Amino acid sequence: MEGERNKTSVHKIWDLFASVKLAIVIFALISLTSIIGTVLEQRAEPAKNIQILTKLFGESLAPTMYNILEKLGFIDMYHAWWFVALLIILATNIIVCSLERLPKIWKVVKEPIQPMREEQLKKFAINREIVLKGKPDKVKDAVTGAIKGAGFNYTESKEEKGYQFYSQKGNYSRLGVYVTHFSILVILIGAIIGVFFGFNGHLNLPEGAMSNVAYSGREKVIPLGFDIRCDNFDVEFYGRSDMPKEYRSYLTVIKNGREVLKKSIAVNDPLTYEGITFYQASYGLIPENFGKGIFIFRVISRDGKISNLNLRFGDTFEILNTTISGKIIDLSPALKINEKGQVFTYANQMNNPAVYIDFSESGKHKYSGWLLKRYPETWQLPEGHRVEFIDYWGVEYTGLQVRKDPGVWVVYLGCITMSIGLYIAFFMSHRRLWVRIVEERNNTRVVIGATSNKNRAAFERKINKMLSLLSKRQEGGR
Amino acid sequence: MDSSFLFGISTMAYILAMIIYITYLAFKKTQIGITATTITIVGFVSQTLAIIMRWKEFYDLSQMGFLRSAPLTNLYESLIFFVWCLILAYLIVEFRFKNRSFGAFVTPVAGLALAFIDISGMTKEIQPLVPALQSNWLLAHVMMSFIAYATFALSFSTALMYLILTTERKNEGAYIFWTVTAGIFVIVLLAMGIDFLAFKVTVKRPEEFIKSFLFKASFLNPSTVVKMLSWTVASAMLFALWKYGSVLKRVIRAFNISDEILDEITYKSIAVGFPVFTLGGLIFGAIWADQAWGVYWSWDPKETWSLITWFVYAFYLHSRMIRGWRGKKVAIVAVIGFVAVIFTYIGVNLLLSGLHAYGGLE
Ligand code: HEM
């Protein structure tokens, strides 16, 4: 008795997990709870969400609501135990449902197609009948030609007063749904691999600096197994606007003291080494380094002599073959000139670095002025010399997202599988076709029966075309 | 002739076509139907030309390669593309099913989208691309998402028609559902129209409109009188639609358009939209996010809403398999699916960003 009861309850659970009803309940639950998850800001400080709740429910209710939602895990809901449980139930549902149905579907797929009796053919959703001139042996070729023309390889069987041709196509397409379902499991597995064997960190690297670790969360240190160095960081803007066009970091990977890889990365164009990928994520100015950077100038004298200079704040340089020298006495990260010709600093990012240079000739003060990186016309000196301001290096850092996810390929594999599965499920169909030709008063009656598990209308059109070709050909042949 | 002139022509053509399709629905004269189709095609052709021209303008300006200059970079351009896909899908259905009566239900959606552009006064300027958007995946992602949205919009129209046709009693859940849904659509649009007339705003980003002006002339007006009046009028409209909804039914019934065809078109458009959305919307979106940010899935509100939309349509596909669920229940799910689409597309940027990023600053 006990065993019997157990069995039925196991059965009940099995049936529950095999049902499509459970699937749609899960779809609904995931959707509805996710809505709450998008309204609340995930993993944010309490104040932020209380503010949101205040807007929705008013001052007095908000703190209580917050406490309830926090207890239920909604502040980090996509990692909450019940959300993970929903995903596990979904996966189990898919597995059990497939196990339950696959054997039957497999039988349908593998079943060879059999000839049918005429009454059966007439019961099919698509059934047609026409009469052709001549005996079956004469029209046979025309009929089989039409079947082949429609793309079917047929089997032939001789019958009492004629023949029957039957054929099926796309029987494997019935598995498309299962390919789709399977792909969901693959994607979930890929995501799990990522959670357990990967990491997601960040690293702020000043220009010229090197690191062999990245950081995750609250300063958790992740060793990389190699060194990464930022050689340079650059922002390119659209024209003279402050709309960024490109962020670019020039990175070098150093393993065991040797430079093994050099690559410049930009948003949408990361660098990967030993499974660890570096993404361009952010950038910024290092305030305490600000006065300590290196000015990179290319000085071209009037007669074309070029010298490349690396200078520091307060340094003096000479223009080749002249007695003119310049001294760097001021700088700004982002300088603008207004209509009146006044200059001012408008941002504390390095949007448009500028240096103020005092020029003298043979020790006597001559003139002074701002050279702006984004305004080449400020580089020209009255005597025809040119001081090109190439870069102010060593004061910015590049913000890198550092990620290792060995599961990502599994996820992509799942995505490819899903695309294929969906294509099969929605755009292919299992079509079956029977054509029976019977002699009748020296003519031939052609009876067609056909089915398709999807998109019957298209198959019907195809069969109509086949028939009209057949009757046309006969008229022409006469 | 420039692209905005051609866009203007297509907008006018669609709105005109909407009126003519509705007239056609009322009088059933073939001549009127042909006129409606012709005008729709004229609108479609000029919109196609306009998109091509804008693409070229952007290409000349940005110098970033042909594919990356696709005019799909902001809300304005994506709405235009959405309308284009929708009209294309509709024309295909019209020719395939040889039935014009859907026109009266599809062209309003196109008209609404275009009206939304003008009402919200969003910027139509060509803007340079920020670095994160400079990806070929973006083109594939956005383009396919909008193709899917268009098919979903089509299924929304036919599912709504299905509900109108098949509901009988005024206390029936499905009847209340469609009258309320259709009513809210109309009311929201009217309220936005009033906002626009009241403020005559031109804003750079649609977010500004939503944050500062949306419903300020009606439901959110500082004056209690106006507020109360708006709610009263809205309730009255809902009530009227509920009370006289059967008039619409009679109009559609007058056409020999069967429930089965509507159900079939609803299913078929979703059957096309679902795979396209899965590949373009979710998978390509994930690949792009992976390239740009190093995470293929980060549960941000936009992503999550795409997933919600996806689950609603999975719900639709599977609920058809449950005995007793064919028909009205499934049609309701199809309508809800498109509401999720609208929210994914517009609501997330407008409403949730209003809640999140700028909260409390004003
Ligand atoms: C996110 C998860 C899922 C997705 C994306 C998905 C997708 C699909 C698709 C695209 C179809 C084909 C529908 C059609 O042809 O109209 C389908 C059919 C089906 N699905 Fe799912 N499915 C999911 C989960 C599930 C689950 C959990 C179950 C469990 C019961 C399930 C059971 C079925 C069944 C029984 C069919 C019909 C199979 C047939 O026609 O032979 N699905 N699914």
Side-chain angles (χ1 to χ4, degrees):
Chain A
M1 278 311 273
E2 189 65 38
E4 193 81 327
R5 263 228 321 269
N6 263 345
K7 202 173 157 200
T8 54
S9 64
V10 167
H11 261 207
K12 266 187 198 152
I13 293 176
W14 178 269
D15 286 348
L16 174 69
F17 275 100
S19 74
V20 181
K21 267 202 185 120
L22 178 66
I24 69 167
V25 170
I26 297 290
F27 292 159
L29 284 177
I30 291 180
S31 306
L32 291 173
T33 53
S34 296
I35 292 177
I36 302 177
T38 60
V39 172
L40 296 174
E41 199 163 326
Q42 297 294 299
R43 297 183 173 190
E45 284 123 46
K48 263 194 179 147
N49 280 318
I50 290 178
Q51 200 175 44
I52 291 171
L53 289 169
T54 307
K55 278 192 191 165
L56 296 174
F57 298 103
E59 197 96 35
S60 54
L61 271 176
T64 332
M65 289 293 289
Y66 181 82
N67 284 338
I68 295 172
L69 288 168
E70 165 153 49
K71 287 253 157 55
L72 293 175
F74 275 101
I75 306 304
D76 189 9
M77 72 158 269
Y78 306 110
H79 304 91
W81 65 267
W82 52 264
F83 193 76
V84 176
L86 281 179
L87 293 179
I88 293 172
I89 294 174
L90 180 71
T92 318
N93 194 189
I94 291 174
I95 295 169
V96 174
C97 182
S98 302
L99 287 179
E100 179 89 0
R101 281 162 202 258
L102 254 180
K104 284 178 222 146
I105 300 289
W106 188 247
K107 231 176 107 194
V108 176
V109 169
K110 284 315 236 182
E111 204 168 41
I113 183 166
Q114 301 287 346
M116 295 260 172
R117 277 174 291 119
E118 181 150 341
E119 312 86 77
Q120 286 173 310
L121 290 192
K122 288 191 170 157
K123 283 206 194 95
F124 280 119
I126 308 172
N127 64 77
R128 296 280 186 284
E129 190 175 322
I130 55 164
V131 177
L132 298 177
K133 298 249 150 50
K135 294 201 172 187
D137 284 316
K138 249 185 85 196
V139 299
K140 188 182 158 199
D141 285 345
V143 171
T144 56
I147 296 174
K148 270 199 213 129
F152 285 89
N153 285 326
Y154 59 89
T155 315
E156 179 180 322
S157 74
K158 180 90 184 82
E159 296 188 341
E160 203 180 322
K161 287 162 81 183
Y163 298 92
Q164 186 165 157
F165 313 100
Y166 44 93
S167 172
Q168 64 177 344
K169 243 175 81 171
N171 39 341
Y172 283 95
S173 76
R174 286 189 184 263
L175 297 175
V177 167
Y178 297 91
V179 175
T180 308
H181 289 156
F182 175 70
S183 71
I184 291 161
L185 301 177
V186 176
I187 291 172
L188 287 175
I189 290 170
I192 291 170
I193 293 175
V195 168
F196 284 102
F197 302 103
F199 64 80
N200 194 353
H202 59 88
L203 175 64
N204 290 346
L205 262 188
E207 286 172 319
M210 196 159 84
S211 171
N212 56 9
V213 294
Y215 302 91
S216 132
R218 294 194 182 87
E219 300 311 300
K220 193 175 146 223
V221 178
I222 305 161
L224 299 174
F226 53 83
D227 286 296
I228 181 114
R229 188 178 68 209
C230 173
D231 297 321
N232 192 11
F233 172 78
D234 250 336
V235 189
E236 193 186 325
F237 295 90
Y238 283 103
R240 284 182 178 173
S241 74
D242 283 316
M243 181 119 184
K245 184 174 181 186
E246 186 177 83
Y247 308 109
R248 194 165 277 283
S249 302
Y250 297 80
L251 301 180
T252 303
V253 175
I254 298 154
K255 176 114 185 171
N256 301 328
R258 272 197 16 247
E259 291 185 1
V260 287
L261 183 63
K262 255 183 184 321
K263 182 179 187 304
S264 73
I265 66 165
V267 182
N268 280 314
D269 183 15
L271 171 153
T272 303
Y273 185 72
E274 290 189 344
I276 299 178
T277 308
F278 297 87
Y279 300 87
Q280 182 69 55
S282 65
Y283 71 103
L285 193 76
I286 310 162
E288 59 272 22
N289 281 10
F290 187 55
K292 302 180 197 149
I294 292 174
F295 299 93
I296 300 173
F297 289 164
R298 179 160 59 214
V299 182
I300 307 167
S301 67
R302 192 172 43 193
D303 44 1
K305 289 269 182 311
I306 299 178
S307 52
N308 291 306
L309 302 174
N310 291 347
L311 305 164
R312 287 185 184 279
F313 191 76
D315 280 357
T316 304
F317 63 94
E318 261 170 24
I319 296 174
L320 238 57
N321 290 349
T322 68
T323 50
I324 300 179
S325 66
K327 184 173 172 154
I328 301 170
I329 60 169
D330 197 3
L331 80 158
S332 157
L335 203 73
K336 220 178 213 154
I337 310 174
N338 66 11
E339 304 90 62
K340 291 190 200 131
Q342 292 160 325
V343 295
F344 59 98
T345 296
Y346 68 97
N348 46 17
Q349 289 283 11
M350 284 250 291
N351 282 12
N352 182 23
V355 282
Y356 194 76
I357 301 181
D358 228 353
F359 287 96
S360 9
E361 187 159 18
S362 315
K364 277 228 296 286
H365 179 77
K366 221 169 141 61
Y367 45 74
S368 47
W370 285 100
L371 305 191
L372 285 72
K373 185 173 171 218
R374 259 205 255 162
Y375 293 75
E377 64 267 25
T378 61
W379 301 346
Q380 204 67 38
L381 302 188
E383 288 82 7
H385 312 299
R386 198 172 153 85
V387 181
E388 297 187 347
F389 184 9
I390 309 294
D391 200 5
Y392 183 45
W393 186 86
V395 297
E396 276 181 299
Y397 67 84
T398 176
L400 302 172
Q401 166 111 1
V402 186
R403 185 172 166 86
K404 179 177 168 182
D405 188 348
V408 77
W409 291 108
V410 181
V411 171
Y412 284 164
L413 198 72
C415 290
I416 294 170
T417 315
M418 180 178 285
S419 311
I420 296 171
L422 286 173
Y423 180 81
I424 299 172
F426 285 113
F427 300 117
M428 289 171 77
S429 51
H430 181 193
R431 292 172 168 185
R432 283 178 284 186
L433 171 68
W434 289 264
V435 181
R436 186 158 186 265
I437 55 177
V438 197
E439 183 179 341
E440 209 171 77
R441 286 182 240 110
N442 285 333
N443 284 333
T444 302
R445 201 159 49 84
V446 180
V447 184
I448 294 181
T451 66
S452 170
N453 68 332
K454 286 248 157 77
N455 205 357
R456 198 177 78 205
F459 193 30
E460 211 158 352
R461 275 196 296 276
K462 190 156 209 166
I463 291 196
N464 288 343
K465 209 168 121 199
M466 198 172 110
L467 276 177
S468 70
L469 274 179
L470 207 58
S471 48
K472 232 187 251 151
R473 184 189 303 182
Q474 220 199 16
E475 274 161 28
R478 217 159 18 121
Chain B
M1 208 161 50
D2 61 353
S3 64
S4 54
F5 175 74
L6 285 170
F7 279 132
I9 290 191
S10 64
T11 307
M12 277 187 316
Y14 293 152
I15 290 172
L16 197 62
M18 168 175 104
I19 297 167
I20 300 177
Y21 272 120
I22 292 171
T23 319
Y24 170 69
L25 211 57
F27 295 102
K28 288 192 280 173
K29 286 260 190 320
T30 318
Q31 219 54 44
I32 302 179
I34 291 173
T35 314
T37 307
T38 312
I39 290 180
T40 311
I41 292 175
V42 168
F44 183 73
V45 170
S46 63
Q47 196 185 8
T48 311
L49 289 176
I51 290 175
I52 294 171
M53 283 171 74
R54 193 171 167 105
W55 195 323
K56 174 133 189 358
E57 285 164 29
F58 194 13
Y59 176 67
D60 293 340
L61 189 93
S62 72
Q63 306 180 326
M64 228 161 10
F66 181 67
L67 285 180
R68 293 194 186 172
S69 315
L72 284 172
T73 57
N74 55 24
L75 195 59
Y76 167 70
E77 289 172 341
S78 62
L79 269 168
I80 295 280
F81 184 66
F82 165 75
V83 171
W84 186 84
C85 293
L86 180 63
I87 295 292
L88 178 64
Y90 166 69
L91 286 173
I92 291 172
V93 168
E94 183 179 310
F95 285 102
R96 279 283 286 272
F97 289 84
K98 311 238 173 323
N99 195 319
R100 283 204 176 85
S101 33
F102 317 113
F105 287 80
V106 175
T107 44
V109 178
L112 292 191
L114 294 173
F116 178 78
I117 293 173
D118 279 325
I119 287 173
S120 69
M122 65 182 72
T123 180
K124 295 175 186 175
E125 278 161 37
I126 294 176
Q127 295 154 318
L129 284 183
V130 299
L133 297 186
Q134 296 166 17
S135 162
N136 292 343
W137 289 109
L138 178 75
L139 174 70
H141 168 59
V142 177
M143 203 175 229
M144 288 179 72
S145 299
F146 280 95
I147 293 172
Y149 290 170
T151 64
F152 292 152
L154 194 66
S155 73
F156 166 77
S157 307
T158 50
L160 202 58
M161 284 170 79
Y162 181 91
L163 288 175
I164 295 174
L165 266 188
T166 54
T167 47
E168 228 21 275
R169 289 169 291 111
K170 286 197 173 23
N171 58 356
E172 184 180 343
Y175 181 83
I176 296 172
F177 175 81
W178 84 252
T179 48
V180 169
T181 311
I184 289 176
F185 258 77
V186 175
I187 289 167
V188 165
L189 212 80
L190 277 179
M192 285 173 61
I194 295 171
D195 287 334
F196 181 63
L197 290 178
F199 301 117
K200 286 216 168 53
V201 284
T202 314
V203 289
K204 270 263 183 250
R205 292 175 313 148
E207 283 88 346
E208 290 171 38
F209 174 78
I210 300 294
K211 268 192 325 185
S212 325
F213 302 105
L214 186 66
F215 299 145
K216 288 275 157 53
S218 50
F219 301 112
L220 300 180
N221 197 281
S223 143
T224 323
V225 181
V226 178
K227 215 189 277 182
M228 295 294 279
L229 195 69
S230 309
W231 285 107
T232 318
V233 171
S235 317
M237 284 177 65
L238 274 184
F239 179 77
L241 191 58
W242 173 76
K243 180 103 189 175
Y244 301 108
S246 51
V247 175
L248 261 180
K249 172 173 172 170
R250 245 171 285 140
V251 172
I252 302 175
R253 190 50 96 198
F255 273 81
N256 33 17
I257 174 169
S258 68
D259 324 347
E260 290 90 64
I261 287 194
L262 288 173
D263 183 58
E264 188 185 329
I265 297 179
T266 309
Y267 172 72
K268 287 216 164 125
S269 359
I270 292 175
V272 171
F274 189 77
V276 173
F277 183 62
T278 308
L279 183 64
L282 294 175
I283 298 181
F284 287 175
I287 295 175
W288 174 44
D290 193 22
Q291 298 251 307
W293 294 295
V295 221
Y296 57 81
W297 193 263
S298 57
W299 293 107
D300 88 6
K302 193 92 176 174
E303 283 174 344
T304 310
W305 268 97
S306 306
L307 190 70
I308 292 170
T309 304
W310 191 69
F311 271 119
V312 177
Y313 283 110
F315 189 111
Y316 171 87
L317 291 171
H318 289 86
S319 57
R320 288 171 67 87
M321 279 150 211
I322 294 178
R323 212 167 300 142
W325 262 66
R326 289 243 163 180
K328 287 179 228 171
K329 279 191 190 165
V330 182
I332 289 177
V333 179
V335 170
I336 293 175
F338 191 62
V339 173
V341 167
I342 295 180
F343 202 86
T344 306
Y345 176 23
I346 303 176
V348 173
N349 295 25
L350 305 185
L351 301 183
L352 292 182
S353 76
L355 275 177
H356 289 169
Y358 314 99
L361 286 183
E362 290 156 326

